[in-house]
Amino acid sequence: MTVPRSTLRLQFHRGFTFDDAAKHVGYFAALGISHLYTSPITTAEPGSTHGYDTVDYTQVSAECGGEAGLKRLADQLRVHGMGLIVDIVPNHMGVGGSSNAWWLDILEWGRHSAYARHFDVDWHSPDPALRGKVLQPTLGAPYGEELAAGRIALHFAGDTGRFYIGYGPHVFPVCPIDYASILQSADRADLNALAERFQGVTTQPADQPRAAEGREMLREFVAQNGGPAIEFALQAYSPHEPVTRDRLHRLIERQHFRLAWWRTASDELNWRRFFDISALAGVRVERPEVFEAVHALPFRLYQEGVVDGLRIDHIDGLAEPREYCQRLRQRLTELRDTAPYVVVEKILGRDEPLRDDWPVDGTTGYDFMNDVGALLHDPDGAEPLAQTWTELTGRSPRFEGECLAARRKMLAENFPAELDRAARALHRIARDSLTTRDFTFTTLRRVLIELVVHFPVYRIYPQNGLRSTTDNLYFDQALAGARHSLSRADHATLDLVNAWLGDSAEEAPAGRNGAAAQQGQNSAPPNHAGSSRRTAQTLFSQLTAPVAAKAVEDTACYRYGRLLSRNEVGSDPSEFALSVEQFHAANLERSQHFPHAMLATATHDHKRGEDVRARLAVLSEIAQDWGATLRAWSTLNAPHRRALDGKPVSSVGQDRGYDWAPGPAAEAMLYQTLVGCWPPDLKPDDAAGVKDLAERVAQWQLKALREAKLQTNWLAPDEAYEAGCRDFLFDILAPQRRDGFLEVLSAFVERIGPAGALNSLQQTVLRLASPGIPDLYQGTELWDFSLVDPDNRRPVDFAKRDAWLVQTPPSDYLPGWRDGRVKLAVIQRVLALRTYLPELLSQSVYLPLVVRGAHAPHAIAFARRHGNAWAVVVASRLAAGLLGGNSDVPMIDPQAWGDTAVEMPADLSARALFDWLSPAAPKIDENGLLYLRDALGSMPIAVLVEEGVPRS
């Protein structure tokens, strides 16, 4: 297997194509990157900026440059000895427009479509109006209103010979069994003759070629005679007259889709989607024919040597992640002699392992992002910050409460259809036995809600219908929470559900009072029962995962503001800090089980840039001071608050409600955001720069308010409140405040900026030198003060970064740290070390080192050893107190370290070391101690290697 030394993620779209990337391959190579790592390359919805809404798995995106462009990029990479890893999306496809041929075929032919089993559609919905149909919740208003307004109409596509129902950009094909009646409605001899071609056509697969022949004749007729004849038929279905509108309605009702208001999706959707996005339909990649269709393109590109590895998006959305990974590995291994590099996007809870029976190289790095982020935080700041948050906002000091409330809200408002489908699967199992058939759907649904609400991780992974010991670690927590929440009357049902969801191989547990006795002679056959159980387990897992994502990351993390640097994808805000020992333990675990996992600190999904989080982490070290600052700013800016009708209010004091904008919680989060993303070189009197910042923060603010789902949300926006919040933001950042709030904000950022930059450099070197494959997100080689998308997907000035690549030590750039060149230089230098000694930082032993002395808690150190080669990494941490408020450079005065030293391995005692990042060559004393005043005399971080390794 060709294991990457390092990867760099690029976001491709029509504004940044494969050819655009090819122009910068020389820069990527000089930086030290071994593999580019792309966003999805398959054809997505037109204009997609991310590529996750694939509409055609078989074609490389033409907007991004097509297959020819991709191969030109790959060829350019090969010239520089580099490789290519591509992101693939096997879980879902885009179905929100008119570009997905598979989905359109389903709408046209229903259950008899060749692709009917490619998507997770429930063709046997309990709703009679949806049996054999697909709900299409695309209308902007209720169906009747849109129909009466003439926005739903019958159309004809001359290029394909198809009739379709059109609504804005949406296309809904009419089934050919209705073509005859449509053509006959014009009462014309020529169309009547064409109608005969469709008489007797059925939806059966054997009839579909006949319909295709008829459509071709229809296409040729229009090509030869023009469209006026067809217009007569379309007028018979005009939405503008009552009689013809009724005929149009009856035609629509006969189709294999049901047009509906978009608000119906959460309650009535009868197909699996990605999270709660009704424009993304779940794909049944567990079916062999679907698996092959979805992967045909990446398999071919891998076989041809264009692609070297795959990143699997949202692995937890799949029915069987384990089996998927095994099948994927097997197929890729068959195609090329070289083993593939495969990583999966997986959110792991604390101490939750990536399963060893998944034949992958690791995760995409969210777990490391969480670990290194938590390491930056001072645990002593947790309680004071929580207390300040509660005093200012009246909200809970604990994240767990927000999380539970958000999960309940998600199940009630965003996922009731998915919840009902999982409950029906359990109800079918209950109905199969005489001893359990009286356990009602409502009771089962109630029990299921509590299990999902209390489920602590994304999902379980049963094998042969049984949960593993690891699964039970988490399922038992959910059971305990559900048992506490439910009445005793529901406990017997809970025992049943526990068994059906993989606790027991028996059909039902032998519960107390006989309520859950084993099934009798009228039980369903074992194979049927086993299939029903596996279906229920899959639906349960495909419910807990999106609920966790939407409730935690996209709701609770926007409600809870103790410290926003811990509210990140893959993080648990209730876990405030990580000790050095815990960080070492996580690195050791990764080195032993998944040594080639990605190490990320920034992604296309992050909510705050890596350097925003690093700066905000400083607040954990000055928690009391930050609390006082928040209160002062709240008082200073009180005159700019808005009533919910948009009018200013003079003073609201400490009102904890939401009867003013932005409200205490949103205001407190806003201040954190401004502190975190304020550019290092921005001055309060730079009106244009401040305005640009305000516009970026306003984008974040709107998304944050709607995701919190408190005063406003995506489903029913409170536009007056949102406008008041925006006005408040622009008022406090107005040019006339440059001697008021802008000045104190800028001064505060200036004060903590050096400590934040030190945190960033620590985070950077740990990512580059820890066990795993360091991954860079586009543009983060310089300071990354981005916010949530689309802010974190802005264009990158690679030419500027290329021009700044140099061979001088990073320490040369520390005094001018605000421009970010010191970060770029650190990345370039450590990646150069990985290039020169690739095994040293990729296949080596990881050895935590002890730091002792007066300031031992303010440093972290470890060694990497491969054979006789060594590297020692030392970094400052929690340095705000040692820096002092007047420091303008992100480095602790060497003399301030005093007796603090690293206990070095005995094998290094007689070796000469030098710092890869500075001119320093610190000595190990006769007691085997490396004093930090020497090791960190030029930089706040050091990577020590032996003399003899070239410095450039």
Side-chain angles (χ1 to χ4, degrees), residues 580-591:
V580 168
E581 292 74 21
Q582 289 172 311
F583 180 79
H584 284 319
N587 268 355
L588 283 167
E589 178 76 14
R590 191 178 299 107
S591 69

mmCIF file with all atom_site columns, all heavy atoms in Angstrom, residues 580-591:
data_model
loop_
_atom_site.group_PDB
_atom_site.id
_atom_site.type_symbol
_atom_site.label_atom_id
_atom_site.label_alt_id
_atom_site.label_comp_id
_atom_site.label_asym_id
_atom_site.label_entity_id
_atom_site.label_seq_id
_atom_site.pdbx_PDB_ins_code
_atom_site.Cartn_x
_atom_site.Cartn_y
_atom_site.Cartn_z
_atom_site.occupancy
_atom_site.B_iso_or_equiv
_atom_site.pdbx_formal_charge
_atom_site.auth_seq_id
_atom_site.auth_comp_id
_atom_site.auth_asym_id
_atom_site.auth_atom_id
_atom_site.pdbx_PDB_model_num
ATOM 1  N N   . VAL A 1 580 ? -2.504 15.988 29.416 1.00 0.00 ? 580 VAL A N   1
ATOM 2  C CA  . VAL A 1 580 ? -1.390 15.508 28.599 1.00 0.00 ? 580 VAL A CA  1
ATOM 3  C C   . VAL A 1 580 ? -1.371 13.990 28.575 1.00 0.00 ? 580 VAL A C   1
ATOM 4  O O   . VAL A 1 580 ? -1.156 13.365 27.529 1.00 0.00 ? 580 VAL A O   1
ATOM 5  C CB  . VAL A 1 580 ? -0.049 16.058 29.141 1.00 0.00 ? 580 VAL A CB  1
ATOM 6  C CG1 . VAL A 1 580 ? 1.136  15.352 28.493 1.00 0.00 ? 580 VAL A CG1 1
ATOM 7  C CG2 . VAL A 1 580 ? 0.033  17.564 28.908 1.00 0.00 ? 580 VAL A CG2 1
ATOM 8  N N   . GLU A 1 581 ? -1.641 13.377 29.727 1.00 0.00 ? 581 GLU A N   1
ATOM 9  C CA  . GLU A 1 581 ? -1.637 11.913 29.798 1.00 0.00 ? 581 GLU A CA  1
ATOM 10 C C   . GLU A 1 581 ? -2.737 11.318 28.930 1.00 0.00 ? 581 GLU A C   1
ATOM 11 O O   . GLU A 1 581 ? -2.527 10.302 28.248 1.00 0.00 ? 581 GLU A O   1
ATOM 12 C CB  . GLU A 1 581 ? -1.806 11.460 31.257 1.00 0.00 ? 581 GLU A CB  1
ATOM 13 C CG  . GLU A 1 581 ? -0.644 11.781 32.160 1.00 0.00 ? 581 GLU A CG  1
ATOM 14 C CD  . GLU A 1 581 ? -0.546 13.265 32.527 1.00 0.00 ? 581 GLU A CD  1
ATOM 15 O OE1 . GLU A 1 581 ? -1.579 13.976 32.412 1.00 0.00 ? 581 GLU A OE1 1
ATOM 16 O OE2 . GLU A 1 581 ? 0.543  13.718 32.919 1.00 0.00 ? 581 GLU A OE2 1
ATOM 17 N N   . GLN A 1 582 ? -3.900 11.939 28.907 1.00 0.00 ? 582 GLN A N   1
ATOM 18 C CA  . GLN A 1 582 ? -4.989 11.445 28.068 1.00 0.00 ? 582 GLN A CA  1
ATOM 19 C C   . GLN A 1 582 ? -4.675 11.619 26.585 1.00 0.00 ? 582 GLN A C   1
ATOM 20 O O   . GLN A 1 582 ? -5.002 10.756 25.768 1.00 0.00 ? 582 GLN A O   1
ATOM 21 C CB  . GLN A 1 582 ? -6.288 12.182 28.429 1.00 0.00 ? 582 GLN A CB  1
ATOM 22 C CG  . GLN A 1 582 ? -6.866 11.803 29.779 1.00 0.00 ? 582 GLN A CG  1
ATOM 23 C CD  . GLN A 1 582 ? -8.028 12.694 30.161 1.00 0.00 ? 582 GLN A CD  1
ATOM 24 O OE1 . GLN A 1 582 ? -7.932 13.937 30.074 1.00 0.00 ? 582 GLN A OE1 1
ATOM 25 N NE2 . GLN A 1 582 ? -9.126 12.095 30.571 1.00 0.00 ? 582 GLN A NE2 1
ATOM 26 N N   . PHE A 1 583 ? -4.036 12.722 26.251 1.00 0.00 ? 583 PHE A N   1
ATOM 27 C CA  . PHE A 1 583 ? -3.646 12.936 24.859 1.00 0.00 ? 583 PHE A CA  1
ATOM 28 C C   . PHE A 1 583 ? -2.637 11.875 24.427 1.00 0.00 ? 583 PHE A C   1
ATOM 29 O O   . PHE A 1 583 ? -2.743 11.310 23.331 1.00 0.00 ? 583 PHE A O   1
ATOM 30 C CB  . PHE A 1 583 ? -3.062 14.343 24.689 1.00 0.00 ? 583 PHE A CB  1
ATOM 31 C CG  . PHE A 1 583 ? -2.641 14.657 23.276 1.00 0.00 ? 583 PHE A CG  1
ATOM 32 C CD1 . PHE A 1 583 ? -3.579 15.023 22.321 1.00 0.00 ? 583 PHE A CD1 1
ATOM 33 C CD2 . PHE A 1 583 ? -1.298 14.578 22.900 1.00 0.00 ? 583 PHE A CD2 1
ATOM 34 C CE1 . PHE A 1 583 ? -3.190 15.302 21.006 1.00 0.00 ? 583 PHE A CE1 1
ATOM 35 C CE2 . PHE A 1 583 ? -0.904 14.863 21.595 1.00 0.00 ? 583 PHE A CE2 1
ATOM 36 C CZ  . PHE A 1 583 ? -1.859 15.222 20.652 1.00 0.00 ? 583 PHE A CZ  1
ATOM 37 N N   . HIS A 1 584 ? -1.655 11.616 25.263 1.00 0.00 ? 584 HIS A N   1
ATOM 38 C CA  . HIS A 1 584 ? -0.684 10.565 24.949 1.00 0.00 ? 584 HIS A CA  1
ATOM 39 C C   . HIS A 1 584 ? -1.381 9.218  24.778 1.00 0.00 ? 584 HIS A C   1
ATOM 40 O O   . HIS A 1 584 ? -1.049 8.450  23.865 1.00 0.00 ? 584 HIS A O   1
ATOM 41 C CB  . HIS A 1 584 ? 0.357  10.456 26.068 1.00 0.00 ? 584 HIS A CB  1
ATOM 42 C CG  . HIS A 1 584 ? 1.386  11.543 26.069 1.00 0.00 ? 584 HIS A CG  1
ATOM 43 N ND1 . HIS A 1 584 ? 1.961  12.036 24.921 1.00 0.00 ? 584 HIS A ND1 1
ATOM 44 C CD2 . HIS A 1 584 ? 1.982  12.213 27.108 1.00 0.00 ? 584 HIS A CD2 1
ATOM 45 C CE1 . HIS A 1 584 ? 2.848  12.971 25.237 1.00 0.00 ? 584 HIS A CE1 1
ATOM 46 N NE2 . HIS A 1 584 ? 2.878  13.101 26.556 1.00 0.00 ? 584 HIS A NE2 1
ATOM 47 N N   . ALA A 1 585 ? -2.324 8.924  25.658 1.00 0.00 ? 585 ALA A N   1
ATOM 48 C CA  . ALA A 1 585 ? -3.029 7.635  25.578 1.00 0.00 ? 585 ALA A CA  1
ATOM 49 C C   . ALA A 1 585 ? -3.771 7.495  24.254 1.00 0.00 ? 585 ALA A C   1
ATOM 50 O O   . ALA A 1 585 ? -3.771 6.414  23.635 1.00 0.00 ? 585 ALA A O   1
ATOM 51 C CB  . ALA A 1 585 ? -3.993 7.491  26.753 1.00 0.00 ? 585 ALA A CB  1
ATOM 52 N N   . ALA A 1 586 ? -4.394 8.574  23.795 1.00 0.00 ? 586 ALA A N   1
ATOM 53 C CA  . ALA A 1 586 ? -5.108 8.536  22.522 1.00 0.00 ? 586 ALA A CA  1
ATOM 54 C C   . ALA A 1 586 ? -4.135 8.333  21.367 1.00 0.00 ? 586 ALA A C   1
ATOM 55 O O   . ALA A 1 586 ? -4.412 7.583  20.419 1.00 0.00 ? 586 ALA A O   1
ATOM 56 C CB  . ALA A 1 586 ? -5.905 9.827  22.330 1.00 0.00 ? 586 ALA A CB  1
ATOM 57 N N   . ASN A 1 587 ? -2.989 8.999  21.419 1.00 0.00 ? 587 ASN A N   1
ATOM 58 C CA  . ASN A 1 587 ? -1.983 8.817  20.379 1.00 0.00 ? 587 ASN A CA  1
ATOM 59 C C   . ASN A 1 587 ? -1.441 7.391  20.363 1.00 0.00 ? 587 ASN A C   1
ATOM 60 O O   . ASN A 1 587 ? -1.206 6.810  19.302 1.00 0.00 ? 587 ASN A O   1
ATOM 61 C CB  . ASN A 1 587 ? -0.832 9.809  20.580 1.00 0.00 ? 587 ASN A CB  1
ATOM 62 C CG  . ASN A 1 587 ? -1.038 11.106 19.807 1.00 0.00 ? 587 ASN A CG  1
ATOM 63 O OD1 . ASN A 1 587 ? -1.990 11.247 19.045 1.00 0.00 ? 587 ASN A OD1 1
ATOM 64 N ND2 . ASN A 1 587 ? -0.144 12.059 20.006 1.00 0.00 ? 587 ASN A ND2 1
ATOM 65 N N   . LEU A 1 588 ? -1.214 6.840  21.535 1.00 0.00 ? 588 LEU A N   1
ATOM 66 C CA  . LEU A 1 588 ? -0.741 5.457  21.614 1.00 0.00 ? 588 LEU A CA  1
ATOM 67 C C   . LEU A 1 588 ? -1.768 4.493  21.040 1.00 0.00 ? 588 LEU A C   1
ATOM 68 O O   . LEU A 1 588 ? -1.422 3.562  20.297 1.00 0.00 ? 588 LEU A O   1
ATOM 69 C CB  . LEU A 1 588 ? -0.427 5.095  23.071 1.00 0.00 ? 588 LEU A CB  1
ATOM 70 C CG  . LEU A 1 588 ? 0.887  5.639  23.618 1.00 0.00 ? 588 LEU A CG  1
ATOM 71 C CD1 . LEU A 1 588 ? 0.941  5.480  25.138 1.00 0.00 ? 588 LEU A CD1 1
ATOM 72 C CD2 . LEU A 1 588 ? 2.074  4.920  22.975 1.00 0.00 ? 588 LEU A CD2 1
ATOM 73 N N   . GLU A 1 589 ? -3.023 4.711  21.372 1.00 0.00 ? 589 GLU A N   1
ATOM 74 C CA  . GLU A 1 589 ? -4.094 3.865  20.850 1.00 0.00 ? 589 GLU A CA  1
ATOM 75 C C   . GLU A 1 589 ? -4.134 3.941  19.328 1.00 0.00 ? 589 GLU A C   1
ATOM 76 O O   . GLU A 1 589 ? -4.246 2.910  18.644 1.00 0.00 ? 589 GLU A O   1
ATOM 77 C CB  . GLU A 1 589 ? -5.429 4.327  21.438 1.00 0.00 ? 589 GLU A CB  1
ATOM 78 C CG  . GLU A 1 589 ? -6.643 3.571  20.940 1.00 0.00 ? 589 GLU A CG  1
ATOM 79 C CD  . GLU A 1 589 ? -6.787 2.192  21.552 1.00 0.00 ? 589 GLU A CD  1
ATOM 80 O OE1 . GLU A 1 589 ? -6.112 1.905  22.560 1.00 0.00 ? 589 GLU A OE1 1
ATOM 81 O OE2 . GLU A 1 589 ? -7.580 1.395  21.009 1.00 0.00 ? 589 GLU A OE2 1
ATOM 82 N N   . ARG A 1 590 ? -4.023 5.128  18.791 1.00 0.00 ? 590 ARG A N   1
ATOM 83 C CA  . ARG A 1 590 ? -4.059 5.289  17.344 1.00 0.00 ? 590 ARG A CA  1
ATOM 84 C C   . ARG A 1 590 ? -2.837 4.629  16.693 1.00 0.00 ? 590 ARG A C   1
ATOM 85 O O   . ARG A 1 590 ? -2.946 3.972  15.659 1.00 0.00 ? 590 ARG A O   1
ATOM 86 C CB  . ARG A 1 590 ? -4.117 6.782  17.003 1.00 0.00 ? 590 ARG A CB  1
ATOM 87 C CG  . ARG A 1 590 ? -4.410 7.066  15.543 1.00 0.00 ? 590 ARG A CG  1
ATOM 88 C CD  . ARG A 1 590 ? -4.510 8.577  15.291 1.00 0.00 ? 590 ARG A CD  1
ATOM 89 N NE  . ARG A 1 590 ? -5.578 9.185  16.068 1.00 0.00 ? 590 ARG A NE  1
ATOM 90 C CZ  . ARG A 1 590 ? -5.381 9.963  17.127 1.00 0.00 ? 590 ARG A CZ  1
ATOM 91 N NH1 . ARG A 1 590 ? -4.150 10.232 17.537 1.00 0.00 ? 590 ARG A NH1 1
ATOM 92 N NH2 . ARG A 1 590 ? -6.395 10.479 17.784 1.00 0.00 ? 590 ARG A NH2 1
ATOM 93 N N   . SER A 1 591 ? -1.670 4.789  17.302 1.00 0.00 ? 591 SER A N   1
ATOM 94 C CA  . SER A 1 591 ? -0.450 4.223  16.718 1.00 0.00 ? 591 SER A CA  1
ATOM 95 C C   . SER A 1 591 ? -0.483 2.711  16.691 1.00 0.00 ? 591 SER A C   1
ATOM 96 O O   . SER A 1 591 ? 0.103  2.087  15.800 1.00 0.00 ? 591 SER A O   1
ATOM 97 C CB  . SER A 1 591 ? 0.783  4.705  17.495 1.00 0.00 ? 591 SER A CB  1
ATOM 98 O OG  . SER A 1 591 ? 0.824  4.139  18.788 1.00 0.00 ? 591 SER A OG  1
#
